[in-house]
């Protein structure tokens, strides 16, 4: 049995050391192509007067050959399936993030799931650094936060405004506020990592990252995968990614022509 499965289920996150070392150059190649040819979803998170550059883009795995290769041929989908305890795995989307040297802007604490058009317990997101990271610019995750009683209110990173309305049609609060995780009794994992390492976490796991005030780039590549129990959910506003024209109703399985099955248990 994979020794990481119990840790992933209990903590909502696990570190995999060296599993993608043979894929780093391929991912760097795709990353630079993505930077040179950004999609319509590309976002610059550093405003005027702020230092550095914090750039992100997503949903490019079908147009960037290196990312296609990784999604279809790397161990990522199979490892995700094992960790989730799923019989099959669909790819959801990819995501690149770069913080250039001297970038003060952090990635705020958040959960991914409230931003997405999916609901379910079997989810897995990879964060794969393409440059060495220290405890000062790594991804940090709040262990056990995937079991919190309510999803955390999603915010816009640039403005800190609510991403959606705060209540449903009946006036019930949809989300809880983010606790002060840095000053409470929470277990935070902030690992030093080398290219080839990865953090895998549940979409519900709270995570964030400091800025990158050092002298080296901090590039990270993410892929998100869906397991057996994931279903479409209509959020109270535009999701991120938005997936316009998805044409699904609450509770339906995610369509395989958009989100192909990339691994099945034998």
């Amino acid at each position: 049995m994979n020794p990481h499965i119990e840790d992933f289920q209990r903590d909502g996150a696990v570190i995999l050391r060296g599993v993608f070392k043979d894929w780093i150059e391929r991912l760097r190649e795709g990353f630079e192509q993505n930077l040179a040819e950004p999609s319509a979803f590309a976002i610059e998170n550093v405003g005027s007067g702020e230092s550095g550059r914090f750039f992100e883009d997503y949903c490019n795995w079908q147009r960037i050959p290196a990312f296609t290769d990784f999604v279809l041929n790397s161990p990522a989908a199979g490892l995700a399936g094992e960790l989730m305890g799923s019989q099959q795995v669909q790819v959801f989307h990819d995501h690149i993030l770069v913080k250039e040297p001297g970038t003060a802007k952090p990635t705020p604490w958040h959960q991914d799931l409230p931003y997405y058009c999916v609901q379910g317990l079997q989810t897995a997101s990879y964060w794969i650094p393409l440059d060495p990271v220290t405890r000062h610019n790594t991804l940090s995750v709040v262990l056990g936060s995937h079991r919190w009683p309510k999803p955390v209110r999603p915010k816009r990173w640039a403005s800190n405004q609510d991403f959606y309305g705060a209540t449903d049609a009946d006036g019930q609060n949809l989300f809880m506020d983010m606790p002060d995780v840095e000053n409470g009794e929470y277990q935070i994992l902030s690992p030093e990592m080398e290219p080839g390492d990865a953090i895998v976490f549940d979409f519900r796991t709270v995570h964030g990252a400091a800025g990158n005030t050092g002298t080296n780039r901090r590039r990270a590549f993410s892929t998100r995968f869906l397991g057996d129990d994931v279903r479409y959910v209509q959020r109270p506003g535009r999701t991120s990614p938005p997936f316009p024209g998805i044409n699904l109703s609450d509770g339906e399985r995610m369509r395989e022509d958009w989100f192909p099955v990339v691994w099945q248990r034998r």
Side-chain angles (χ1 to χ4, degrees):
M1 181 177 175
N2 185 331
H4 294 298
I5 294 173
E6 183 179 352
D7 294 342
F8 182 79
Q9 297 291 332
R10 181 190 65 240
D11 296 334
V14 69
I15 304 172
L16 304 178
R17 297 289 186 185
V19 294
F20 298 119
K21 61 183 184 297
D22 295 335
W23 285 93
I24 294 303
E25 287 307 318
R26 187 76 169 124
L27 288 175
R28 286 172 176 164
E29 172 191 322
F31 201 102
E32 295 310 310
Q33 181 183 349
N34 198 160
L35 286 177
E37 305 167 12
S39 79
F41 294 136
I43 301 169
E44 295 282 0
N45 287 297
V46 170
S48 60
E50 296 179 305
S51 62
R53 185 190 190 196
F54 177 10
F55 173 87
E56 57 179 322
D57 199 358
Y58 43 61
C59 298
N60 293 295
W61 75 270
Q62 290 167 304
R63 74 177 183 93
I64 305 285
F67 295 169
T68 307
D69 190 14
F70 181 86
V71 167
L72 298 181
N73 299 313
S74 82
L79 289 170
E82 294 291 342
L83 293 173
M84 294 186 294
S86 186
Q87 296 303 306
Q88 67 175 32
V89 172
Q90 290 174 266
V91 59
F92 188 33
H93 66 90
D94 59 287
H95 189 182
I96 71 164
L97 306 103
V98 60
K99 289 182 181 176
E100 297 292 356
T103 302
K105 196 174 190 73
T107 305
W109 294 107
H110 66 285
Q111 291 171 319
D112 285 343
L113 191 68
Y115 292 90
Y116 295 162
C117 62
V118 297
Q119 197 71 275
L121 304 181
Q122 291 173 300
T123 61
S125 179
Y126 285 88
W127 192 87
I128 304 169
L130 305 186
D131 307 287
V133 293
T134 69
R135 290 180 58 84
H136 301 293
N137 67 353
T138 190
L139 186 76
S140 295
V141 296
V142 182
L143 300 181
S145 53
H146 64 310
R147 298 186 182 275
W148 287 359
K150 265 190 175 182
V152 173
R153 188 186 320 282
K155 299 278 189 176
R156 298 188 184 279
W157 293 3
S159 66
N160 200 40
Q161 294 177 327
D162 286 351
F163 203 79
Y164 313 121
T167 58
D168 63 16
D170 298 322
Q172 300 296 312
N173 285 329
L174 295 167
F175 307 107
M176 61 181 279
D177 291 325
M178 180 67 71
D180 185 359
V181 297
E182 294 177 48
N183 296 301
E185 295 187 7
Y186 298 94
Q187 187 177 0
I188 298 175
L189 177 69
S190 301
E192 295 185 353
M193 300 172 70
E194 294 294 327
D197 297 343
I199 297 178
V200 193
F201 57 93
D202 188 297
F203 290 1
R204 298 166 295 163
T205 300
V206 170
H207 57 286
N212 183 34
T213 56
T215 57
N216 299 313
R217 302 180 85 189
R218 199 223 67 179
R219 292 169 292 177
F221 176 78
S222 291
T223 44
R224 279 88 191 230
F225 294 102
L226 312 174
D228 297 333
D229 77 341
V230 173
R231 298 292 184 270
Y232 178 80
V233 63
Q234 180 66 51
R235 298 293 185 189
R238 178 185 183 270
T239 59
S240 177
F243 298 116
I246 192 170
N247 195 29
L248 290 174
S249 300
D250 277 351
E252 290 189 308
R253 294 187 66 90
M254 299 301 284
R255 47 191 295 179
E256 292 184 14
D257 56 337
W258 285 31
F259 310 100
V261 173
V262 289
W263 179 83
Q264 290 182 301
R265 191 179 298 273
R266 297 187 179 184

